[in-house]
Amino acid sequence: MSQLATPIRKNDNVLVITGKDRGKRGRVLKVLPERNRLIVEGVNIIKRHTKANPGKQVKGGIVEREASLHASNVQLVCPECGVQTRIGRKLLGDGRKVRVCRKCDGVVDK
Ligand SMILES: [Zn+2]
């Protein structure tokens, strides 16, 4: 894994720490590791104009959807202590490598 790769994973809860959606929380819907970007539910909504395509049952209009944002714009919200945190790593006794909260040392990966 490269140094740039985000430790954020799908279904993590994150807090946006910079940009127009700063302060919003959401669940990670998708990680785009090669670009180090994330798609977060309800964050960075863009409007796209779509053309009607009756053959495909598509109505014309404006569709809102999430655009990706850079992984550095968010921080994990720890499921244990509920605080935004940087992510550490820890090797468990059974050999599993897990992500841990730097604030409470709680294990993020179940
Ligand atoms: Zn924590």
Side-chain angles (χ1 to χ4, degrees):
M1 196 189 285
S2 80
Q3 282 303 105
L4 282 172
T6 175
I8 304 286
R9 298 287 173 259
K10 191 179 174 186
N11 290 326
D12 281 348
N13 276 302
V14 295
L15 173 72
V16 181
I17 54 171
T18 185
K20 73 179 168 74
D21 284 330
R22 187 155 58 107
K24 276 193 187 173
R25 285 177 182 220
R27 187 169 59 91
V28 176
L29 300 175
K30 196 172 184 186
V31 181
L32 308 165
E34 69 283 356
R35 293 164 61 209
N36 214 25
R37 296 179 76 85
L38 312 165
I39 293 175
V40 182
E41 195 169 34
V43 171
N44 205 19
I45 300 290
I46 56 163
K47 288 180 178 170
R48 282 182 71 192
H49 296 263
T50 57
K51 269 188 198 165
N53 187 342
K56 286 186 177 168
Q57 311 280 320
V58 175
K59 277 190 206 165
I62 298 168
V63 175
E64 295 192 348
R65 68 174 183 97
E66 289 92 350
S68 67
L69 67 163
H70 199 263
S72 64
N73 290 358
V74 307
Q75 277 200 320
L76 181 79
V77 176
C78 171
E80 294 290 326
C81 66
V83 173
Q84 69 188 86
T85 182
R86 292 177 51 121
I87 297 170
R89 289 181 189 276
K90 195 164 150 183
L91 193 62
L92 295 183
D94 63 6
R96 276 200 307 147
K97 212 179 242 178
V98 293
R99 296 177 298 157
V100 294
C101 170
R102 288 257 175 95
K103 297 257 165 71
C104 72
D105 218 26
V107 175
V108 175
D109 299 302
K110 297 299 174 206

